Amino acid sequence: MSDKVIYMDNAATTRVLPEVFEAMKPYFTEYYGNPSAIYTFAGTANDAVTSAREEIAKVIGAKTEEIYFTAGGSESDNWALKATAEAYASKGKHIITSKIEHHAILHTAQWLEKQGYEVTYLDVDENGVIDLEQLKASIRPDTILISIMAANNEIGTIEPLKEIGEIAKEHGILFHTDAVQAFAHTPINVDEMHIDMLSSSGHKIGGPKGIGFLYIRKGVKIRSFVHGGAQERQRRAGTLNVPGIVGMGKAAEISANHMEESIAYQTKLRDHLISRVLEEIPYARLNGHPSQRLANNANFCFRFIEGESMLILLDQAGVCGSSGSACTSGSLDPSHVLLAIGLPHEIAHGSLRLTISDETTLEDIDYVVDKLKGIIEHLRAMSPLYEDFIKHQK
Ligand SMILES: *Cc1c(COP(=O)(O)O)cnc(C)c1O
């Protein structure tokens, strides 16, 4: 075992930024009042929630009162789909989404199908981009919602939000986007992109886990998801997670202020990683769009390799990576995203996702590629399939 830890799984979760942790601390032990209370003591907590809401709204060009705090990305996704389905059922029961969404969307959509809704799952091309013509062709008079993710959590592909938003708007259909991987990582403006609802999560941007928000455009009819007190304009009950909200606000502020620099820095490292892997490791391919992708994401397939074995050996070298998404590893099914971009099962099984951050260095990348080369050589040397393949090559 190595003492070294090289963390390259930032799409699964991120380290809480030290400034974020500092900002949160007083709201546990000093300003612990319930922000809904009348007395002055609770005012500090209430003010902190208001500032966080303002910071977040600014990042996506929304109004402060359009930001609703939730317990994370999964809750926001569930809320957006289920509550819209209910509120607009009299208009229709058809929803359009894609085959590469996070399970928080896909499993919610499947649940809605059991409740009598119809769902169209759009295909994606070999780079993971949805087909806008197929989107247009799928729209029906009873379509109430289009939900397409802003950027994919496995292969990093960024979807054409503005074009999707324009199509939705033209047809008078609501547009929701799961922006958990994209918020504060890539520029998003809800007005320019005609986004009606947007999901986000604190722990993917250097904030704490268990906090997120749903942006809901003013005028969108959406039912309350958690019933109880009057918090969040009576749409999401529950005492506000003040430290979490403060942390998410701080993380959003920092990430948004450094977005351009982070994108430039991470793109440089990512491209170095990608070119070294493709040049130095035979039978490797890059998954996801070559350029329209998150700056922090690299996703590869290695033929004749089993993802899990690769991850275990990388772990022994101190490297944290992922194969498929965190939610599906542990199961033997290959990633639904890799199947959707057209990879056969046996190739999809040998995938590796490495997601970097501003803390990643060039030395880290070189260390990981050096280790990976050895690991893949070692695993292939034990593979009868590979042996067979090489024999036939000759
Ligand atoms: C992580 C993630 C989620 C879930 O967010 P949680 O805050 O962990 O519930 C949803 N969608 C995408 C694209 C994600 O990457």
Side-chain angles (χ1 to χ4, degrees):
M1 268 305 203
S2 157
D3 320 328
K4 214 176 168 114
V5 173
I6 296 189
Y7 185 75
M8 291 207 186
D9 203 14
N10 286 281
T13 198
T14 58
R15 183 161 94 103
V16 171
L17 297 168
E19 304 93 306
V20 168
F21 186 46
E22 285 309 315
M24 290 171 70
K25 275 182 189 169
Y27 295 92
F28 286 102
T29 53
E30 279 176 64
Y31 311 122
Y32 53 83
N34 188 321
S36 308
I38 295 292
Y39 37 79
T40 323
F41 173 62
T44 314
N46 195 27
D47 291 348
V49 169
T50 304
S51 324
R53 214 187 291 279
E54 284 166 1
E55 279 306 330
I56 287 168
K58 218 167 61 187
V59 176
I60 54 170
K63 298 184 188 73
T64 311
E65 64 275 17
E66 295 173 320
I67 304 298
Y68 296 82
F69 288 110
T70 66
S74 299
E75 183 188 318
S76 300
D77 284 346
N78 270 260
W79 186 10
L81 262 59
K82 290 180 186 171
T84 319
E86 191 198 340
Y88 288 84
S90 62
K91 182 193 166 200
K93 291 190 146 191
H94 178 236
I95 293 167
I96 300 173
T97 183
S98 83
K99 287 188 178 159
I100 61 161
E101 299 295 312
H102 189 273
H103 283 137
I105 293 289
L106 287 180
H107 290 169
T108 306
Q110 284 159 16
W111 181 85
L112 282 169
E113 285 184 282
K114 290 201 190 103
Q115 313 305 310
Y117 289 82
E118 270 184 83
V119 182
T120 300
Y121 300 90
L122 298 177
D123 296 317
V124 293
D125 66 13
E126 68 279 9
N127 291 328
V129 182
I130 71 143
D131 178 347
L132 294 171
E133 292 309 315
Q134 194 193 13
L135 168 62
K136 282 186 213 159
S138 305
I139 292 172
R140 317 191 314 207
D142 62 341
T143 307
I144 52 175
L145 177 69
I146 296 171
S147 179
I148 305 287
M149 69 201 319
N152 184 267
N153 48 302
E154 291 187 35
I155 57 174
T157 299
I158 297 172
E159 298 297 335
L161 289 193
K162 189 161 187 263
E163 287 79 0
I164 299 167
E166 273 162 9
I167 294 168
K169 188 168 184 229
E170 211 174 283
H171 291 83
I173 299 167
L174 292 179
F175 174 34
H176 165 257
T177 186
D178 174 343
V180 173
Q181 294 290 337
F183 172 73
H185 285 283
T186 64
I188 294 182
N189 183 291
V190 291
D191 286 340
E192 282 168 21
M193 296 172 165
H194 308 295
I195 296 165
D196 297 304
M197 287 175 281
L198 176 147
S199 303
S200 173
S201 175
H203 74 105
K204 306 282 174 80
I205 63 163
K209 297 168 180 60
I211 183 74
F213 71 85
L214 180 64
Y215 154 78
I216 309 175
R217 181 180 292 283
K218 197 165 173 261
V220 171
K221 264 197 306 182
I222 185 170
R223 301 292 158 86
S224 132
F225 191 54
V226 177
H227 302 275
Q231 291 90 355
E232 300 300 88
R233 306 162 68 83
Q234 306 190 13
R235 279 172 151 185
R236 201 280 188 184
T239 302
L240 295 181
N241 171 1
V242 179
I245 290 169
V246 168
M248 171 136 203
K250 193 75 192 167
E253 180 193 335
I254 295 171
S255 305
N257 287 343
H258 292 111
M259 196 188 298
E260 247 175 77
E261 283 164 75
S262 297
I263 291 175
Y265 177 73
Q266 293 176 16
T267 302
K268 208 172 90 218
L269 291 191
R270 178 201 71 193
D271 290 347
H272 177 68
L273 169 64
I274 292 173
S275 55
R276 271 205 68 191
V277 166
L278 298 183
E279 278 162 26
E280 298 176 35
I281 303 180
Y283 311 112
R285 63 161 276 153
L286 175 71
N287 299 315
H289 199 284
S291 57
Q292 277 301 108
R293 70 186 300 134
L294 293 170
N296 72 357
N297 175 294
N299 187 312
F300 304 100
C301 277
F302 302 101
R303 286 179 72 186
F304 316 105
I305 297 288
E306 218 269 301
E308 302 287 318
S309 329
M310 187 166 42
L311 287 185
I312 292 165
L313 294 176
L314 278 171
D315 182 35
Q316 284 172 8
V319 179
C320 309
S322 132
S323 182
S325 65
C327 322
T328 43
S329 31
S331 90
L332 283 173
D333 294 335
S335 140
H336 64 284
V337 177
L338 298 181
L339 296 181
I341 62 173
L343 297 184
H345 278 241
E346 68 277 11
I347 292 181
H349 268 301
S351 74
L352 174 68
R353 179 186 73 184
L354 297 171
T355 43
I356 60 175
S357 76
D358 283 343
E359 292 177 8
T360 310
T361 63
L362 195 63
E363 291 71 46
D364 292 339
I365 302 269
D366 283 329
Y367 173 84
V368 171
V369 179
D370 292 343
K371 287 288 172 192
L372 188 61
K373 277 170 72 175
I375 288 169
I376 286 178
E377 247 170 62
H378 169 75
L379 289 172
R380 281 181 179 159
M382 300 190 310
S383 158
L385 282 174
Y386 184 65
E387 200 186 350
D388 231 39
F389 171 78
I390 292 300
K391 252 189 228 149
H392 284 95
Q393 292 292 93
K394 285 180 183 156

